[in-house]
């Protein structure tokens, strides 16, 4: 596959470039800051962009914001975000929209070469890859005794479709119900799962993660 690497560590960029080349992939650009990443993504249209969360020029969430912009402007480009630590707020922001062709991994996973390459393939194929530790942290505040068992059969079906990446309108069409009915089900699901009402989190995403974890 054709890839872009974006990380301010030259050693990491060079190491990943060599690793990916040995695996038969092509790194079409390796950049060290968010503006260069956006430019390279627009110019090369890679299969997947591998992006560090914290990058120049701001050294905060510049990489994440660039990833979100790529998701919006170039939806055919898969995005695999790497983070040094579990940053729950950043993960929630990234997962707030559609999750097809999207991944969020800790950088430590790169050393597990086969797993890392497999993650890239899944993102390229339109799948979703989430680091187990990221999932655990996101769900830590929402764990109660088997909350999924409190959902009605219809709510469970709605949550199953949401976990497959369908938006509310598509769920309504598949279940032959109104959009407002689906929205009521989604609200009931997030309430029954007792998910945090924190503006830094997407309750919809947390509900999906809870379903997948179960």
């Amino acid at each position: 596959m054709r890839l872009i690497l974006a990380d301010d560590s030259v050693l990491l960029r060079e190491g990943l470039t060599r690793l990916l080349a040995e695996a038969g992939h092509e790194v079409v650009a390796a950049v060290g800051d968010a503006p260069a990443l956006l430019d390279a993504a627009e110019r090369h249209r890679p299969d997947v962009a591998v992006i560090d969360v914290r990058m120049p020029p701001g050294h905060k969430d510049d990489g994440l914001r660039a990833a979100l912009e790529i998701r919006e402007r170039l939806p055919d480009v898969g995005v695999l975000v790497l983070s040094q630590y579990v940053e729950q707020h950043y993960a929630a922001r990234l997962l707030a929209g559609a999750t097809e062709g999207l991944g969020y991994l800790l950088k430590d996973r790169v050393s597990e070469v086969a797993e890392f390459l497999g993650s890239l393939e899944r993102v390229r194929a339109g799948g979703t890859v989430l680091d187990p530790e990221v999932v655990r942290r996101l769900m830590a505040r929402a764990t109660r005794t088997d909350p999924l068992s409190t959902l009605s059969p219809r709510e469970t079906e709605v949550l199953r479709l949401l976990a497959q990446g369908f938006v509310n309108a598509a769920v309504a069409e598949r279940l032959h119900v109104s959009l407002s009915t689906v929205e009521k089900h989604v609200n009931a699901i997030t309430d029954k799962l007792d998910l945090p009402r924190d503006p830094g989190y997407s309750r919809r995403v947390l509900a999906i993660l809870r379903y997948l974890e179960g």
Side-chain angles (χ1 to χ4, degrees), residues 78-90:
V79 168
L80 179 60
V81 170
L82 299 178
S83 180
Q84 188 68 44
Y85 311 104
V86 177
E87 304 187 69
Q88 299 177 42
H89 176 63
Y90 293 160

Side-chain angles (χ1 to χ4, degrees), residues 53-64:
V53 168
R54 296 177 180 270
M55 295 177 61
H59 294 282
K60 292 184 178 180
D61 64 346
D62 300 71
L64 176 71

Side-chain angles (χ1 to χ4, degrees), residues 169-191:
V171 173
E173 182 178 352
R174 284 177 170 263
L175 298 181
H176 306 290
V177 297
S178 68
L179 180 59
S180 62
T181 296
V182 172
E183 291 170 347
K184 289 178 181 177
H185 283 316
V186 172
N187 288 333
I189 290 167
T190 55
D191 286 341

